[in-house]
Amino acid sequence: MDEGRPATGDRATTWLARAAFAAAAAAVGLLVGVAGLRGIGLLAVGAAGAATGIAGLWWFLTRRGLRRLAAAAVTIAAPVTVVTLYGRAGLLWLVLTCAALSIAAAAAGGAALRQTGRAEDAQGSEVPPPRHPFLVMNPRSGGGKVQRCDLARKARALGAEVVLLDEVGTSDVAALARRAVRAGADLLGVAAGDGTQAAVAAVAVDNDLPFLVIPAGTRNHFAMDLGLDRADPASGLDALTNGVEIRTDVGLVNDRMFVNNASFGVYAALVQSPAYRDDKAGTALELLPDLLTAGHDPPLRLRAGQTLVYGPPAILVSNNPYAVNDVIGTGRRERLTDGVLGVLAVSANGASDAVRLLRGDRSKGLTRCTTDEAVVDADTPWIPAGVDGEPARLSTPVRCRIRPGALRVRVPRNRPGRGPRPPLDWRRLGRLAFPAGLGRP
């Protein structure tokens, strides 16, 4: 069946796609019909406000003292000025209505694409419940989600052996997992952040055991892309009794495994700071002026297939690529099974470069590609890195590779976010809205 084409009779998906087109057309029609030529001015004012706000944010991040305060004022004043100008022109209602219609179009289109994506998603293989599941839980992760959600008690009630990191006197979760495997564990799981998950997942891969993710960390990117309910970490325990198994790719950076990404440059330097874990915002504001203006010393070099980039201040190599509209790689990956690395290199040496990043993939300051191997090098024996958010020092050249289908993941049969949110592809939506053979409704 053609990608993006619903099965005959799938009218809900068809109407969602058509609703997306209708809302988008209404937004454009309203803008042109009411504002006319002034609509071009509205767009120009909005674009100018966005550019000024981005430039102000850059100055805020790269300055200190009074200049930082002035930059903050510019960043705040830019959108306020835009809204004020729209109001004085009597067109604020028009802008808000068009924005609401655009949001509705994106929501309907995303829902239609998710409906078709679920047929393509790995539904998982039927598996019996584990006999001896072993779970590592970090009570400090996610502001104490383990205790708030009573995860340890609930897991033990389901027959799992649970180790709380604050009770065993060690932070070597990989050693704990290997010891559990020797004792007969037939499933390994983690209720903690992505870095802890990656360490235990590596043991699961080495021993060909299923891996269970409980989203008890702060960001839980891996859990999000698996479709797990991050607002209800305890729901991840359903995989122990009513679970299915899927296979996902993993990344390797030198000999270390990652489930999300490995970063080099600015972010990698931030996570090296001992103060970063306890005060992320304060540490970032203190260190970013030097990191963003001085760059990495010595400069980084990136080779990804035929792509060569010299001197980017920030590089992100991910286990499968992030969505095409995600400039900095903090959002969703459409799939975890494509068998490729996603590579992002961002070069912004000033406010003008930062503004150009608004153009996304068309920006000269942004390099994006996919590959099965990426090499990051520098004229130094090692470079700092952030591996799934954890600090690391890696010997150069750093080789990043993909291992397709290496990780067996046990997930609940019913998970609300099954199928990561796909990018809004209007061509694909067109095939959904007007599929051949459906006829007119």
Side-chain angles (χ1 to χ4, degrees):
M1 183 164 53
D2 184 33
E3 180 187 8
R5 179 170 294 170
T8 301
D10 188 359
R11 296 305 178 96
T13 301
T14 300
W15 280 111
L16 280 170
R18 289 175 178 174
F21 276 98
V28 174
L30 187 62
L31 182 64
V32 174
V34 174
L37 292 178
R38 287 193 299 171
I40 299 176
L42 286 176
L43 296 176
V45 170
T52 304
I54 293 295
L57 180 60
W58 173 266
W59 293 324
F60 175 77
L61 294 175
T62 57
R63 303 294 189 270
R64 291 189 174 94
L66 291 177
R67 288 185 296 177
R68 172 169 282 175
L69 292 177
V74 170
T75 305
I76 296 171
V80 172
T81 301
V82 169
V83 171
T84 301
L85 290 174
Y86 287 163
R88 288 183 176 177
L91 296 174
L92 182 58
W93 69 271
L94 175 63
V95 173
L96 295 177
T97 302
C98 290
L101 287 169
S102 300
I103 293 171
L113 293 173
R114 282 195 296 276
Q115 289 288 342
T116 58
R118 286 178 179 175
E120 302 164 6
D121 289 338
Q123 299 295 325
S125 304
E126 294 291 335
V127 288
R131 297 184 303 275
H132 185 188
F134 175 80
L135 306 182
V136 175
M137 297 189 178
N138 185 353
R140 292 175 296 176
S141 290
K145 288 182 181 178
V146 169
Q147 293 180 343
R148 281 203 311 273
C149 300
D150 200 15
L151 296 179
R153 183 192 64 79
K154 292 177 180 178
R156 287 169 177 148
L158 294 173
E161 178 185 354
V162 177
V163 168
L164 298 173
L165 290 183
D166 61 353
E167 294 181 355
V168 295
T170 179
S171 59
D172 191 346
V173 293
L176 292 172
R178 287 191 292 266
R179 187 185 310 160
V181 172
R182 291 193 295 269
D186 60 351
L187 177 144
L188 301 176
V190 173
D194 289 328
T196 304
Q197 288 176 12
V200 177
V203 179
V205 169
D206 290 342
N207 292 275
D208 193 28
L209 291 177
F211 178 65
L212 174 66
V213 177
I214 304 170
T218 302
R219 290 175 291 275
N220 302 297
H221 285 300
F222 190 51
M224 174 177 66
D225 292 339
L226 289 171
L228 302 181
D229 187 353
R230 296 183 296 167
D232 181 15
S235 65
L237 294 171
D238 292 344
L240 293 175
T241 55
N242 187 29
V244 293
E245 187 173 296
I246 62 176
R247 281 191 174 270
T248 70
D249 307 336
V250 298
L252 288 176
V253 53
N254 286 352
D255 59 351
R256 180 168 173 173
M257 200 183 91
F258 60 89
V259 294
N260 290 325
N261 55 61
S263 57
F264 308 89
V266 172
Y267 179 72
L270 282 179
V271 299
Q272 304 298 315
S273 171
Y276 181 74
R277 184 171 297 277
D278 295 327
D279 184 12
K280 291 181 172 60
T283 305
L285 289 177
E286 176 61 29
L287 298 180
L288 279 177
D290 294 330
L291 294 174
L292 291 174
T293 55
H296 193 278
D297 187 24
L300 298 174
R301 299 187 296 273
L302 169 68
R303 176 170 56 82
Q306 300 301 312
T307 301
L308 300 174
V309 184
Y310 181 81
I315 298 172
L316 187 80
V317 180
S318 60
N319 170 22
N320 285 265
Y322 287 94
V324 294
N325 58 351
D326 184 5
V327 175
I328 58 175
T330 58
R332 286 179 177 262
R333 289 163 288 181
E334 185 176 358
R335 284 180 295 274
L336 294 168
T337 55
D338 282 348
V340 293
L341 297 170
V343 180
L344 284 169
V346 179
S347 300
N349 298 315
S352 59
D353 289 340
V355 171
R356 291 190 187 100
L357 291 177
L358 288 172
R359 301 179 63 194
D361 282 350
R362 295 174 296 170
S363 169
K364 293 182 179 179
L366 180 67
T367 300
R368 183 195 299 270
C369 64
T370 58
T371 183
D372 56 3
E373 182 179 75
V375 178
V376 181
D377 204 356
D379 293 330
T380 184
W382 61 270
I383 55 175
V387 182
D388 281 338
E390 298 293 327
R393 286 161 54 103
L394 302 176
S395 59
T396 56
V398 178
R399 298 187 181 278
C400 303
R401 295 176 290 122
I402 191 77
R403 287 192 62 185
L407 181 61
R408 299 166 55 190
V409 185
R410 189 72 57 88
V411 293
R413 187 182 306 275
N414 300 312
R415 52 196 197 276
R418 185 173 65 229
R421 184 181 303 139
L424 197 58
D425 185 337
W426 287 99
R427 287 186 180 181
R428 190 175 174 193
L429 272 177
R431 293 194 294 269
L432 292 173
F434 310 105
L438 267 182
R440 293 183 180 274

